[in-house]
């Protein structure tokens, strides 16, 4: 009887600890999402580097950083789009900030070339914030079996999603170490956190998983040097890449996401800045088997619809 009582007491204690721990996590999330004061990003430095700044999250991030008074170095592959983004920024912030553009195709340059291009563009600048946002995904029909991914797309996804982020980070880390101050934000994906598998998006989700592990590991190497490194893991946003329409709660616009994103820079190794994404992620993770089943069937449907469209072209 005494052993039974002991086991019951131990089980009750473990249950209480589990509930208390989850309650603390929830309270901490509420505080971080709605109450925590965002950091003054200019304290990191007066310049920010953004890769992939001409569309979607990257472009919205550039404007959000500019609104905080940061000068910008924009790194992209399309000179016309870079020029268009530059013109928009100058129209809105002409007398407030400076903007430099760097034409660099991250899918084609070697690692050393990327590092050199970033280091040269930022030489003499007080770079405080770096956003590794550039990303590549499957082209039409946007969901594919692994064997259907053509060689060029596979090489592009691997180079942009993995290779580029590492070498851009390499290009700025020395400068941050010298002044012992800086923030690096890597844009990952909720697919690496909230679901155990992501069929028909295998390559994209796997490369984003690298981004998450890279961020969580390298930050421990430099946190005592004043450098904050973070991986943000959003779910679906309404961007050109996702092809989704904005739904204020479940599918925020890039601008909505980035206003939340700014609040989290400098806090936590990994975060999902937009509040409804975090709630969705909790539900997806809790019902992982159902979530993965749904994703598999949804991606198969997306693939089928895309192939059907191709037949009628």
């Amino acid at each position: 009887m005494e052993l039974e009582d002991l086991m019951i007491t131990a089980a009750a204690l473990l249950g209480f600890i589990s509930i208390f721990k989850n309650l603390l996590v929830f309270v901490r999330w509420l505080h971080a999402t709605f109450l925590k004061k965002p950091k003054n990003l200019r304290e990191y430095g007066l310049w920010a580097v953004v890769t992939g700044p001409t569309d979607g999250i990257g472009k919205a991030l550039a404007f959000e950083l500019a609104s905080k008074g940061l000068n910008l170095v924009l790194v992209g592959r399309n000179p016309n789009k870079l020029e268009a983004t530059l013109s928009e920024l100058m129209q809105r912030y002409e007398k407030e900030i400076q903007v430099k553009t760097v034409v660099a195709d991250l899918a084609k340059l070697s690692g050393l070339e990327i590092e050199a291009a970033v280091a040269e563009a930022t030489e003499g600048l007080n770079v405080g914030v770096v956003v590794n946002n550039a990303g590549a995904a499957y082209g039409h029909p946007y969901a594919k079996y692994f064997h259907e991914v053509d060689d060029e797309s596979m090489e592009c996804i691997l180079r942009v999603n993995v290779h580029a982020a590492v070498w851009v980070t390499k290009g700025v880390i020395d400068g941050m170490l010298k002044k012992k101050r800086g923030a690096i934000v890597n844009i990952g994906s909720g697919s690496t956190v909230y679901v155990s598998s992501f069929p028909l998006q295998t390559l994209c989700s796997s490369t984003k998983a690298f981004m998450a592990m890279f961020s969580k590991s390298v930050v421990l190497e430099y946190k005592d040097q004043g450098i904050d490194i973070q991986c943000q893991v959003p779910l679906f946003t309404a961007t050109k890449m996702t092809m989704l329409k904005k739904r204020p709660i479940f599918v925020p616009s890039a601008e909505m996401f980035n206003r939340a994103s700014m609040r989290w820079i400098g806090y936590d190794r990994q975060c999902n800045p937009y509040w409804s994404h975090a709630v969705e992620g909790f539900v997806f993770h809790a019902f992982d088997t159902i979530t993965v089943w749904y994703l598999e069937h949804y991606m198969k449907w997306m693939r089928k619809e895309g192939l059907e469209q191709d037949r009628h072209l």
Side-chain angles (χ1 to χ4, degrees):
M1 196 66 173
E2 291 181 359
L3 180 59
E4 291 181 4
D5 290 342
L6 182 61
M7 292 178 64
I8 292 172
T9 301
L13 181 59
L14 289 173
F16 173 77
I17 292 173
S18 177
I19 293 172
F20 184 70
K21 178 183 176 182
N22 288 328
L23 181 61
L24 283 178
V25 170
F26 178 66
V27 171
R28 184 174 180 272
W29 173 78
L30 283 176
H31 176 264
T33 303
F34 300 109
L35 301 175
K36 182 169 56 183
K37 183 179 178 181
K39 292 192 175 184
N40 179 0
L41 299 184
R42 285 174 62 87
E43 292 182 357
Y44 286 115
L46 301 181
W47 286 81
V49 178
V50 182
T51 66
T54 57
D55 290 299
I57 287 177
K59 185 174 182 179
L61 262 172
F63 276 84
E64 198 67 33
L65 290 166
S67 74
K68 307 300 182 186
L70 288 170
N71 304 307
L72 298 171
V73 178
L74 306 179
V75 183
R77 66 174 179 169
N78 189 316
N80 294 327
K81 285 187 174 183
L82 279 173
E83 187 62 33
T85 303
L86 170 63
S87 297
E88 289 181 51
L89 284 163
M90 288 295 93
Q91 288 176 9
R92 190 177 301 184
Y93 302 106
E94 182 178 4
K95 297 181 180 179
E96 301 173 40
I97 65 168
Q98 301 175 57
V99 182
K100 295 180 63 175
T101 60
V102 179
V103 179
D105 190 339
L106 300 178
K108 295 181 179 179
L109 296 178
S110 71
L112 291 175
E113 288 172 331
I114 293 172
E115 180 186 6
V118 172
E120 181 181 350
T122 58
E123 185 177 2
L125 303 181
N126 181 9
V127 175
V129 179
V130 175
V131 181
N132 282 310
N133 165 77
Y138 295 160
H140 194 77
Y142 308 112
K144 300 178 181 181
Y145 289 98
F146 178 72
H147 75 276
E148 294 176 328
V149 183
D150 62 273
D151 293 347
E152 184 178 352
S153 295
M154 183 172 293
E155 186 71 17
C156 177
I157 291 169
L158 289 169
R159 282 181 167 270
V160 176
N161 291 3
V162 176
H163 187 257
V166 171
W167 284 99
V168 168
T169 300
K170 186 73 160 49
V172 300
I173 199 76
D174 285 343
M176 291 182 173
L177 282 170
K178 287 177 183 176
K179 65 177 185 176
K180 295 189 180 297
R181 176 68 70 178
I184 299 174
V185 179
N186 297 320
I187 304 300
S189 170
S191 65
T192 66
V193 177
Y194 301 119
V195 294
S196 59
S197 308
F198 206 137
L200 280 79
Q201 289 287 339
T202 296
L203 194 58
C204 299
S205 58
S206 298
T207 53
K208 289 298 185 179
F210 169 86
M211 181 79 85
M213 179 57 76
F214 173 71
S215 304
K216 290 188 293 183
S217 299
V218 75
V219 66
L220 297 179
E221 298 178 20
Y222 296 109
K223 65 176 183 176
D224 294 332
Q225 303 293 323
I227 303 174
D228 297 320
I229 301 174
Q230 176 186 84
C231 185
Q232 297 191 357
V233 289
L235 293 175
F236 289 126
T237 56
T239 65
K240 182 179 178 180
M241 181 178 289
T242 64
M243 305 291 290
L244 294 173
K245 295 181 179 180
K246 182 179 71 172
R247 298 172 185 168
I249 295 181
F250 298 110
V251 185
S253 66
E255 291 76 15
M256 294 167 67
F257 169 79
N258 285 314
R259 283 194 291 271
S261 173
M262 293 295 105
R263 294 183 58 88
W264 283 86
I265 293 178
Y267 299 106
D268 290 355
R269 289 179 288 167
Q270 181 173 283
C271 68
N272 192 340
Y274 195 68
W275 71 271
S276 71
H277 279 179
V279 174
E280 288 177 79
F282 175 81
V283 175
F284 292 162
H285 183 68
F287 298 96
D288 179 70
T289 301
I290 296 173
T291 302
V292 173
W293 176 88
Y294 172 79
L295 284 173
E296 181 180 5
H297 285 76
Y298 178 74
M299 289 298 156
K300 286 181 178 178
W301 172 84
M302 180 184 287
R303 173 181 175 275
K304 181 180 178 181
E305 287 293 303
L307 294 175
E308 193 65 30
Q309 290 174 14
D310 286 347
R311 293 191 187 98
H312 291 87
L313 291 178

